Amino acid sequence: MVLLVGVLVTVGTYLILSRNIIRVILGTAVLSHAVHLLILTVGGLKTGAVPLLSHSEGPFTDALPQALILTAIVISFATTAFLLVLAYRMYKTNKTDDISELRGISDE
Amino acid sequence: MSNIIVMPLIIPIITAVILVFLRENIVLQRIITLITMVFITGISILLLQLVQTEGILKLEFSGWVSPYGILFVADTFSVLMMLSANIVSTLCLIYAFSTIGFKYENMFFYTFVLFLIAGVNGSFLTGDIFNLFVCFEVMLLASYVLVALGGRKIQLRESLKYVLINVLASWIFLVALAYLYGTVKTLNMAHIAERVLEGNQDAMLTTVSILFLIVFSLKSGLLLFFWLPGSYSVPPTAVQALFAGLLTKVGIYALIRTFTLMFPLNPDVTHTLIGIMAGITIIAGCMGALSGKDVYTIATYNVVIGVGFILIGLAVGTEAAISGAIFYLIHDMVAKALLFLLIGTMVYLTGETIVKRMSGLIQIYPLFGWIFFVVLLALTGVPPLSGFVGKILIGQGAIEVGAYVLLALGFASSIIVLYSLLRIFLASFFGETTVSLEDRKPIPRGAMVSFILFTIAIVYIGIGAESLMVYIEDATRTLMNPSRYIEAILKG
């Protein structure tokens, strides 16, 4: 699991450092998956029974990391969607998808 | 159990959703927005009084007793911040009514401002660090939209950078949260504080706290402020003022909360680091303000200087310094927002952003000119106005612990602030007027109303410092003795 997180972070970092906007956005998506797995891992993988009270008599698995990840996934979906739309609009108005051409403040 | 605490979060969200359906009816949108803002400002005042009489309030959602459920906490510090944030945003909205223009109002401008305010209020009130992340995201998503709204080339460009940097910051936030949860197995801030106190903040926790420091520094523009000048200078004036007044301040609030409540035990590492970062921030901000030729650059770097100065208070960490930091934070919210509004209006009136190309504004708009002068004095910290008390208190704290370098930097920055703003004032307001008779635009009445109300607020914070100090001292007491907070949450 930890190795997987490491690989995902590596891939994500590589993608973020590239010049193409779409790659950068994909990179942020990959990174967010990496951190979700990280939350799951450090929260402790399956350490007990299913956390349903009537199902068994503990010890139960901690269900909180999954709740956190669920929230984080929703947020990262929203941000990624927004980023994609933004990138599309930017491509339409600025006629480029190259980050390095976005430097400086030129007149309109 | 008092449901009133959740109102400042819920009401703006509900109103924002209602406004989506009133897209065509802009007058109605304005009225509803204004009523909502006045209402939640009223609630903030009520909460402030309640906290004074009943101590720290908390609301545990669906009755899940802490530390198990998620909760909202209102202590004096958070309510004070929320109150000033709401006042600032109300006044910015009054400015926006007369200036923002149909193009924005038609594209759900008020909806997103209300979401932004909901996120800000939520961040101040939450007592659960994961909810802090969620409220940050609500606030940030609204701010992404507000930067990009309008769709000019430069806006899209700056907003893309802004969004990417904030996405990365949120990512680091999640990493820090993951490790924090792995170490202390809880997300309730009071509970974290208790566990950290028990475990004596070992190396792992200090590392986690430094991760939090990085995240909140990115959000508040402490040292890592490279994204700030660009993204703060492109959106319309009212939005700039909102950002300058609210966004960085939420980051500072989170920093103060984190390092007084949750990780106070290793000040040699963390607080020294904050001190160094604050120092560098001030120096860099001063350089930026000095080198800037156009008004936006000067104003944005003034934001950076302000952030550095407030965090000197946190780095020093004595009682006087913390109350100074709180006081200065409140002052800074109001004064920076007004500064941005005034500068935006100057650009609107003259059509120029370069300082040297404007002049003689005071002959045409005398009141406007003198209000600018008041802000200038307030930001510098001239006695009867709002910046003075905060500066004195932070300075006093710095002398107590012998942090003379930070002290010198802090007060030297006041001179730079004075110089950079005075340059705008002298160059743009005096001399021959460059605006010809036909081109003279009147200042919209709504804008003037908000300027005057802001000025009253600044003067009140300065002259009425005594009456404010009661609350600020109470806030400081809670911050300095985290056990008060912990007991109120876990044992109340």
Side-chain angles (χ1 to χ4, degrees):
Chain A
M1 207 60 163
V2 180
L3 278 180
L4 185 58
V5 173
V7 170
L8 282 177
V9 172
T10 319
V11 173
T13 315
Y14 173 73
L15 283 174
I16 274 192
L17 293 176
S18 66
R19 287 164 57 136
N20 184 307
I21 289 176
I22 296 296
R23 281 171 182 246
V24 174
I25 295 172
L26 284 178
T28 61
V30 172
L31 275 182
S32 77
H33 289 307
V35 77
H36 298 156
L37 285 179
L38 180 69
I39 295 177
L40 198 60
T41 319
V42 296
L45 290 170
K46 200 168 183 221
T47 49
V50 187
L52 293 174
L53 278 183
S54 53
H55 211 74
S56 70
E57 305 178 350
F60 298 113
T61 307
D62 187 2
L64 197 60
Q66 304 195 10
L68 303 184
I69 293 168
L70 182 60
T71 318
I73 286 178
V74 174
I75 290 173
S76 89
F77 271 168
T79 337
T80 312
F82 181 79
L83 261 174
L84 284 171
V85 174
L86 192 67
Y88 174 69
R89 271 303 297 271
M90 213 203 61
Y91 177 68
K92 293 265 275 190
T93 45
N94 283 347
K95 297 277 179 286
T96 173
D97 63 348
D98 189 339
I99 292 259
S100 61
E101 284 173 30
L102 298 178
R103 230 171 253 236
I105 299 171
S106 59
D107 292 319
E108 303 203 8
Chain B
M1 225 25 178
S2 48
N3 287 322
I4 190 175
I5 303 180
V6 80
M7 302 272 242
L9 175 78
I10 289 288
I11 290 177
I13 290 185
I14 294 176
T15 327
V17 173
I18 293 174
L19 287 183
V20 172
F21 299 104
L22 299 173
R23 182 174 179 185
E24 301 303 320
N25 197 336
I26 283 166
V27 179
L28 197 60
Q29 279 195 34
R30 288 180 187 170
I31 295 170
I32 292 179
T33 315
L34 191 62
I35 292 174
T36 315
M37 287 315 301
V38 171
F39 186 62
I40 58 174
T41 311
I43 285 180
S44 316
I45 296 173
L46 187 64
L47 267 176
L48 193 59
Q49 297 306 330
L50 270 178
V51 174
Q52 296 308 304
T53 52
E54 293 179 19
I56 297 171
L57 301 173
K58 61 173 175 171
L59 170 62
E60 285 151 343
F61 292 119
S62 347
W64 283 83
V65 187
S66 58
Y68 298 109
I70 54 178
L71 78 168
F72 266 20
V73 181
D75 72 339
T76 315
F77 180 41
S78 54
V79 178
L80 263 181
M81 299 298 9
M82 190 175 72
L83 176 62
S84 19
N86 285 337
I87 291 177
V88 167
S89 27
T90 312
L91 297 182
C92 287
L93 277 167
I94 293 178
Y95 180 87
F97 291 150
S98 56
T99 56
I100 196 80
F102 179 75
K103 201 174 119 199
Y104 286 91
E105 288 176 310
N106 197 27
M107 288 308 288
F108 312 111
F109 173 73
Y110 297 122
T111 306
F112 287 114
V113 172
L114 284 172
F115 275 133
L116 179 81
I117 292 163
V120 170
N121 285 344
S123 315
F124 287 147
L125 285 176
T126 177
D128 171 304
I129 197 147
F130 192 77
N131 264 24
L132 182 68
F133 166 75
V134 175
C135 290
F136 258 61
E137 286 303 309
V138 171
M139 173 185 93
L140 286 172
L141 262 175
S143 76
Y144 300 157
V145 177
L146 287 174
V147 174
L149 201 64
R152 291 182 300 135
K153 258 186 188 179
I154 182 168
Q155 274 187 325
L156 290 173
R157 215 158 55 182
E158 290 300 333
S159 73
L160 194 75
K161 293 177 201 165
Y162 175 70
V163 175
L164 281 176
I165 285 162
N166 275 304
V167 166
L168 268 185
S170 303
W171 182 77
I172 304 174
F173 197 166
L174 271 181
V175 173
L177 273 176
Y179 281 119
L180 184 66
Y181 185 72
T183 337
V184 299
K185 293 290 173 197
T186 177
L187 290 165
N188 183 312
M189 298 212 289
H191 203 203
I192 293 171
E194 200 187 43
R195 292 258 170 100
V196 171
L197 285 178
E198 282 166 7
N200 269 333
Q201 195 170 345
D202 54 14
M204 180 66 194
L205 281 171
T206 309
T207 317
V208 171
S209 75
I210 289 173
L211 264 180
F212 278 110
L213 176 63
I214 297 172
V215 177
F216 296 140
S217 313
L218 259 170
K219 310 261 179 191
S220 65
L222 170 70
L223 189 58
L224 309 166
F225 59 80
F226 44 85
W227 52 272
L228 196 144
S231 47
Y232 273 35
S233 54
V234 291
T237 311
V239 178
Q240 285 176 0
L242 268 179
F243 281 13
L246 302 183
L247 288 192
T248 52
K249 309 302 180 285
V250 178
I252 297 173
Y253 166 83
L255 272 176
I256 295 181
R257 192 49 104 202
T258 316
F259 286 96
T260 55
L261 176 66
M262 290 190 288
F263 303 109
L265 291 181
N266 213 342
D268 288 347
V269 181
T270 50
H271 288 58
T272 314
L273 201 57
I274 296 175
I276 295 170
M277 287 167 85
I280 300 174
T281 312
I282 288 182
I283 297 173
C286 288
M287 287 188 199
L290 284 179
S291 69
K293 285 196 180 58
D294 68 319
V295 282
Y296 286 136
T297 317
I298 296 177
T300 44
Y301 278 105
N302 269 305
V303 173
V304 173
I305 297 176
V307 171
F309 193 78
I310 295 167
L311 287 165
I312 287 181
L314 176 61
V316 168
T318 63
E319 201 150 322
I322 294 277
S323 46
I326 300 173
F327 195 96
Y328 201 80
L329 196 54
I330 294 172
H331 143 79
D332 205 57
M333 275 184 174
V334 180
K336 285 282 151 53
L338 178 53
L339 178 69
F340 270 82
L341 288 185
L342 290 173
I343 280 181
T345 313
M346 283 167 64
V347 173
Y348 162 77
L349 292 174
T350 54
E352 288 285 350
T353 58
I354 310 294
V355 176
K356 279 182 186 155
R357 296 205 201 128
M358 307 180 207
S359 79
L361 283 173
I362 206 163
Q363 293 169 16
I364 320 171
Y365 314 103
L367 186 56
F368 177 64
W370 292 116
I371 287 177
F372 189 91
F373 190 61
V374 169
V375 181
L376 185 160
L377 292 183
L379 281 173
T380 318
V382 173
L385 295 164
S386 58
F388 177 64
V389 185
K391 283 205 170 159
I392 287 297
L393 284 172
I394 291 180
Q396 193 189 331
I399 292 172
E400 274 169 28
V401 298
Y404 296 113
V405 180
L406 285 180
L407 181 73
L409 276 177
F411 284 103
S413 78
S414 305
I415 299 172
I416 308 284
V417 169
L418 177 67
Y419 170 75
S420 64
L421 292 178
L422 204 58
R423 206 169 55 148
I424 299 183
F425 186 65
L426 290 180
S428 315
F429 284 93
F430 289 104
E432 282 300 303
T433 173
T434 49
V435 187
S436 62
L437 266 176
E438 309 88 76
D439 292 348
R440 282 182 192 176
K441 303 174 195 159
I443 297 178
R445 214 181 313 137
M448 218 52 218
V449 170
S450 78
F451 292 159
I452 292 169
L453 288 176
F454 261 122
T455 317
I456 293 171
I458 287 179
V459 174
Y460 170 74
I461 295 173
I463 294 176
E466 280 295 313
S467 57
L468 263 178
M469 271 326 271
V470 184
Y471 301 115
I472 288 172
E473 271 166 12
D474 186 55
T476 317
R477 264 200 301 281
T478 314
L479 287 178
M480 294 302 288
N481 309 305
S483 54
R484 272 179 63 156
Y485 186 92
I486 298 170
E487 267 168 33
I489 304 304
L490 295 181
K491 307 194 175 69

